């Protein structure tokens, strides 16, 4: 792990990508210049940001894009703390491949698989199981079966897709509270969440890395 202070992170937002908007960045440090293409950047907008970063890995990346082999030195961020932002200096537009579509020319080192987090059954599911057990018991005793449970009512202000996308964060959004995403989720999921937050009237604060209602 390397801690680098006084860095400048120049974030460039690429719009209308095949899998949605995404971001790439140039990281300027005292020890060199690096490309950053971590998922956490997809929440950001165009701009220059200053602060401190913790780099977990610096590596040579090679991939194919538009029929050409591209080689660049990348930094993988473990964490970042920003203390300033400004508009990005206008630069000639350059083609940037979506990181999720890169075809690597060399196989990266394997990453140990992590067991998915255990999910606790919801209270509604537990109640449903109890009611079903009661229904079976009454049926065995010849008693009348209970009335069917009413269909679940969707949370006000959201649809099934939005609630599923936001998961446990949905109650915070419904109450118009600040929201901080888990940047370790799948990159495409994080992009969809970010795009949906804009539609729901939220704006990303890059210094705090938190979404706030506007």
């Amino acid at each position: 792990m390397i801690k680098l202070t006084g860095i400048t992170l120049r974030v460039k937002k690429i719009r209308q990508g095949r899998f949605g908007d995404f971001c790439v960045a140039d990281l300027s440090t005292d020890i060199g210049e690096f490309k950053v293409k971590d998922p956490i950047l997809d929440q950001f907008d165009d701009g220059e940001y200053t602060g401190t970063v913790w780099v977990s890995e610096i590596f040579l990346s090679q991939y194919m894009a538009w029929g050409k082999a591209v080689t660049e030195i990348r930094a993988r961020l473990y964490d970042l703390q920003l203390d300033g932002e400004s508009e990005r200096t206008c630069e000639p537009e350059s083609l940037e491949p979506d990181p999720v579509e890169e075809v690597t020319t060399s196989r990266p080192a394997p990453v140990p698989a992590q067991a998915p987090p255990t999910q606790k059954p919801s209270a509604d599911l537990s109640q449903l199981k109890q009611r079903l057990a009661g229904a079976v018991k009454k049926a065995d005793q010849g008693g009348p079966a209970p009335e069917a449970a009413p269909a679940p009512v969707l949370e006000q202000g959201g649809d099934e897709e939005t609630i599923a996308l936001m998961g446990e964060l949905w109650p915070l959004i419904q109450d118009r509270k600040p929201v901080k995403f888990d940047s370790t989720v799948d990159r495409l999921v994080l992009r969809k969440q970010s795009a949906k937050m804009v539609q729901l009237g939220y704006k990303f604060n890059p210094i705090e890395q938190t979404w706030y209602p506007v």
Side-chain angles (χ1 to χ4, degrees):
M1 187 76 63
I2 305 174
K3 179 181 179 180
L4 300 173
T5 59
I7 62 90
T8 299
L9 190 68
R10 298 178 181 85
V11 177
K12 178 181 179 182
K13 194 173 191 68
I14 310 299
R15 294 173 173 80
Q16 298 180 342
R18 179 183 175 190
F19 296 104
D21 297 347
F22 65 94
C23 291
V24 297
D26 293 314
L27 176 64
S28 297
T29 75
D30 291 337
I31 64 173
E33 301 271 341
F34 308 97
K35 271 286 188 181
V36 179
K37 297 186 177 181
D38 293 352
I40 191 174
L41 295 179
D42 288 347
Q43 301 179 83
F44 284 68
D45 282 321
D46 282 294
E48 290 191 6
Y49 305 90
T50 57
T52 300
V53 297
W54 285 259
V55 178
S56 60
E57 184 181 6
I58 294 176
F59 60 100
L60 192 66
S61 175
Q62 297 178 318
Y63 61 91
M64 297 295 297
W66 300 291
K68 296 181 180 180
V70 181
T71 301
E72 59 191 14
I73 301 177
R74 287 193 193 176
R76 182 168 288 123
L77 304 183
Y78 176 80
D79 196 8
L80 69 161
Q81 292 181 357
L82 303 177
D83 53 29
E85 63 175 312
S86 60
E87 293 185 1
R88 182 170 62 89
T89 304
C90 292
E91 300 173 354
E93 289 295 325
S94 59
L95 296 175
E96 289 283 356
D98 190 333
V100 301
E101 294 187 280
E102 288 181 358
V103 179
T104 57
T105 58
S106 60
R107 183 179 297 274
V111 178
Q114 296 181 351
T118 303
Q119 296 183 350
K120 297 181 179 180
S122 64
D124 292 339
L125 182 58
S126 298
Q127 293 175 4
L128 179 59
K129 288 182 178 179
Q130 293 176 2
R131 296 186 67 175
L132 289 175
V136 172
K137 183 176 181 180
K138 288 185 177 181
D140 292 340
Q141 296 173 351
E147 296 181 1
V153 179
L154 294 178
E155 300 281 357
Q156 182 178 4
D159 53 47
E160 288 183 345
E161 184 178 356
T162 299
I163 295 173
L165 176 64
M166 295 304 178
E168 61 184 12
L169 298 175
W170 177 247
L172 296 176
I173 299 171
Q174 190 180 27
D175 293 338
R176 306 298 291 171
K177 293 182 178 179
V179 174
K180 190 178 183 70
F181 286 154
D182 176 6
S183 61
T184 63
V185 301
D186 180 80
R187 184 166 198 151
L188 295 182
V189 172
L190 185 61
R191 286 185 192 177
K192 291 179 181 179
Q193 289 177 331
S194 299
K196 179 59 68 174
M197 289 298 279
V198 175
Q199 297 176 10
L200 294 173
Y202 273 74
K203 183 176 178 60
F204 184 66
N205 182 320
I207 305 300
E208 300 180 24
Q209 298 173 51
T210 301
W211 291 87
Y212 285 94
V214 294

